[in-house]
Amino acid sequence: QVQLVESGGGSVQAGGSLRLSCAASGSTGSINDMGWYRQAPGKQRELVAVITSGGNPYYADSVKGRFTIFRDNAPNNVNLQIHSLKPEDTAVYYCNARIQVDWNEYNAWGQGTQVTVSS
């Protein structure tokens, strides 16, 4: 149905920046919200940011002011611009899309991209 391909992760120094990108392909149907989650080893997957189909962004308190989620000019792409990275941001970051199928929604997930921040 839908494939999400993530890119942009890497290893950076504290205070640095990264841009994560996610491209949706395949039979995407209607994509509603798109977002980013992250999971550190031994931790639950947590919401980082989400952007609605109407363009309204929402952020976890821990990333407000540092992370920006946006959809670029490719309609099924979502990006996460990250500034002022902290070691506690180290995690695998997953792209998420809410896919509309008739009157139902389901989650599509990317494979994850590793972000490592050194102090």
Side-chain angles (χ1 to χ4, degrees):
Q1 177 69 26
V2 173
Q3 299 82 46
L4 303 179
V5 179
E6 298 142 315
S7 61
S11 182
V12 299
Q13 297 284 331
S17 299
L18 285 172
R19 178 177 289 186
L20 308 184
S21 299
C22 173
S25 63
S27 183
T28 58
S30 181
I31 298 179
N32 295 329
D33 298 352
M34 298 189 76
W36 291 90
Y37 290 69
R38 67 186 181 188
Q39 187 169 22
K43 306 292 186 181
Q44 291 285 317
R45 188 174 297 186
E46 64 176 353
L47 175 67
V48 174
V50 62
I51 185 165
T52 70
S53 59
N56 297 315
Y58 300 89
Y59 300 95
D61 288 342
S62 60
V63 306
K64 284 181 180 176
R66 300 187 298 118
F67 290 23
T68 302
I69 187 169
F70 63 98
R71 285 163 134 150
D72 63 20
N73 57 14
N76 296 323
N77 289 2
V78 66
N79 302 274
L80 189 69
Q81 181 66 55
I82 309 174
H83 296 293
S84 302
L85 277 160
K86 304 174 179 179
E88 51 263 46
D89 295 320
T90 296
V92 178
Y93 284 70
Y94 297 91
C95 180
N96 168 262
R98 297 285 292 173
I99 311 300
Q100 188 77 43
V101 180
D102 295 324
W103 292 333
N104 299 310
E105 277 190 323
Y106 72 92
N107 282 298
W109 294 95
Q111 79 285 355
T113 185
Q114 178 72 48
V115 172
T116 302
V117 184
S118 59
S119 59

